[in-house]
Amino acid sequence: MSITKRLKAVGPGAMVAAAFIGPGTVTTASVTGAEFGYALLWTMVFSIVATIVLQEMSARLGLVSGEGLGEALRERFDNQIVEYLSIFLVVGAIGVGTAAYEAGNILGGAAGLATITGIDSTVWGVVMGLVAGLLLYTGRYKLIERALIGLVAVMAFSFVASAILIGPDPGAIAMGFVPGIPSGSLYLITGLVGTTIVGYNLFLHASNVQERWSGPEDIGHSRIDTVLSIVVGGVITITIMVTAAAAFEPGTQISDIGRMAEQLRPIAGPYAELFFSIGIFAAGFTSATTAPLAGAWATTGALGWDSDMQSTQFRAVWGTILGVGILSVLLGGSPVQIIVFAQVVNGILLPIVAVFLIYAMNQRELLGEYTNGSVANALGAIVTLIVVWLGVRTLLSVAGVL
């Protein structure tokens, strides 16, 4: 297949990349680079591979079965208690969770625009939320997909440009891909993996591939799209880590991504600050758009509602998620109790979804000849064990044990 045809296949996977490269990822990558330099770049190699493994399964499930992951989750259980529990977990962790974090997505993107323009981030936050709402309200998948692909390209250019301008050490970068766990770095390793393997992306991908392609005959296109898009997303995260590593002395503490953009000016000049700020905006806006979309597909699928992008129920779900985000911005912050609840339920949900996904991928009555092979199952099992570990750490962290 020619390069042109490969690029034309890019679409649903780019939306997945747009979803996981959000303000949380920018912050985690920046903090990691500033505190540990290049030492944890290897973590992103694992994260990229692990994300490709699970997202490929999710996309294949959607293309072959014609169901979203929420629908498949609801319909596979005969036991009503288990079915209701699965619905609660999906609606709770994905629906409420995306709403809780939407404020962070909007404010993160607004921080980038505020750095460039000097206008208060609250103003930009409301504007961003309204623009994201207008884009989603069109209900036109191709328009939304193209807008997000364009913003992923903007992110890639912006963060790569800032990384080049900062003048990193190529030798040190190469050594960063040699696995090692510096003292005190485990929580950031967990964070980097956790911001790349995102639970709601599994729901997003199973549904959005059906908007782009028609069935199993397009699995090849979907795989190209998944691999290319997630690799690009991973590279973006790596360039953010490299920028922070080159810009700051090891051990530097960063608590605000907007301030990091400002701090680049005296080190690498105004263009590095400008490019990084544009990248932060693109990261925030793409996540602010994809989170409500994923929440809507997951919730409508789990509840058995109409999942058409122009349906009233679908719009009501994403509108609620987006509305919570905008309201939180106006109130000056995100609702802490909801975020804690979302963390707890997400910590439980992600391992369960990963286990269920592998279970579903081995059901011949659902997938026929497209069930997992032994290699896919082995890779999936390894990734799932890591995801379970991440989930346990999330719960223990929220409980104050870690």
Side-chain angles (χ1 to χ4, degrees):
M1 183 180 294
S2 68
I3 293 177
T4 302
K5 288 185 178 180
R6 288 176 189 269
L7 291 175
K8 284 183 178 179
V10 171
M15 292 179 70
V16 170
F20 75 71
I21 304 293
T25 300
V26 176
T27 300
T28 303
S30 298
V31 169
T32 302
E35 192 165 343
F36 292 100
Y38 306 101
L40 297 181
L41 290 176
W42 65 268
T43 305
M44 284 309 302
V45 176
F46 168 78
S47 299
I48 290 168
V49 173
T51 303
I52 288 172
V53 168
L54 291 181
Q55 294 296 159
E56 187 280 331
M57 291 185 193
S58 175
R60 184 159 30 108
L61 173 69
L63 282 175
V64 176
S65 69
E67 297 180 350
L69 189 52
E71 296 168 274
L73 190 62
R74 175 172 51 86
E75 295 175 0
R76 295 269 78 77
F77 300 112
D78 295 326
N79 187 306
Q80 278 197 330
I81 295 176
V82 177
E83 180 184 342
Y84 291 148
L85 179 61
S86 68
I87 291 173
F88 167 77
L89 287 172
V90 170
V91 174
I94 304 301
V96 178
T98 50
Y101 293 116
E102 184 68 356
N105 293 331
I106 294 172
L107 281 173
L113 290 176
T115 301
I116 297 169
T117 64
I119 298 174
D120 187 76
S121 60
T122 301
V123 175
W124 280 123
V126 173
V127 171
M128 277 183 55
L130 293 176
V131 172
L134 287 173
L135 183 61
L136 290 172
Y137 189 79
T138 65
R140 295 168 58 190
Y141 173 79
K142 286 187 177 180
L143 174 64
I144 296 169
E145 180 187 86
R146 286 170 183 168
L148 294 176
I149 289 174
L151 285 169
V152 169
V154 168
M155 271 195 285
F157 174 79
S158 299
F159 287 127
V160 169
S162 61
I164 292 172
L165 287 170
I166 207 73
D169 180 353
I173 291 175
M175 290 302 297
F177 290 103
V178 178
I181 304 177
S183 176
S185 67
L186 193 58
Y187 76 104
L188 283 174
I189 292 174
T190 303
L192 285 170
V193 177
T195 58
T196 310
I197 308 173
V198 181
Y200 69 69
N201 271 347
L202 299 175
F203 292 87
L204 176 68
H205 211 177
S207 296
N208 71 1
V209 290
Q210 298 175 53
E211 299 285 342
R212 176 66 179 269
W213 293 301
S214 58
E217 65 274 10
D218 293 309
I219 286 177
H221 294 298
S222 176
R223 284 176 175 158
I224 292 170
D225 169 47
T226 299
V227 173
L228 284 178
S229 299
I230 292 172
V231 167
V232 169
V235 169
I236 290 172
T237 304
I238 288 171
T239 60
I240 297 169
M241 293 171 66
V242 166
T243 300
F248 305 107
E249 291 293 325
T252 300
Q253 300 293 318
I254 292 178
S255 58
D256 186 286
I257 53 177
R259 283 183 59 81
M260 178 179 172
E262 294 170 7
Q263 289 168 330
L264 291 177
R265 176 183 286 269
I267 301 169
Y271 291 112
E273 177 195 28
L274 175 64
F275 286 134
F276 200 83
S277 298
I278 291 172
I280 292 172
F281 155 68
F285 187 82
T286 54
S287 292
T289 305
T290 51
L293 197 57
W297 266 319
T299 302
T300 54
L303 295 175
W305 294 353
D306 188 350
S307 293
D308 184 271
M309 291 181 66
Q310 297 186 6
S311 74
T312 301
Q313 291 172 322
F314 191 88
R315 283 173 169 167
V317 176
W318 68 249
T320 300
I321 294 170
L322 190 58
V324 168
I326 295 173
L327 180 62
S328 298
V329 169
L330 290 172
L331 294 175
S334 54
V336 176
Q337 289 184 334
I338 295 179
I339 288 177
V340 171
F341 169 75
Q343 285 180 320
V344 172
V345 183
N346 267 313
I348 298 171
L349 180 72
L350 184 54
I352 292 175
V353 171
V355 169
F356 169 75
L357 182 60
I358 294 176
Y359 166 78
M361 298 309 296
N362 283 277
Q363 302 302 303
R364 287 209 165 268
E365 70 273 15
L366 181 68
L367 296 173
E369 64 182 290
Y370 298 100
T371 55
N372 273 358
S374 56
V375 174
N377 279 330
L379 291 173
I382 293 170
V383 171
T384 300
L385 288 174
I386 300 295
V387 166
V388 168
W389 175 64
L390 289 172
V392 170
R393 282 190 60 84
T394 299
L395 294 175
L396 292 177
S397 176
V398 170
V401 177
L402 294 177

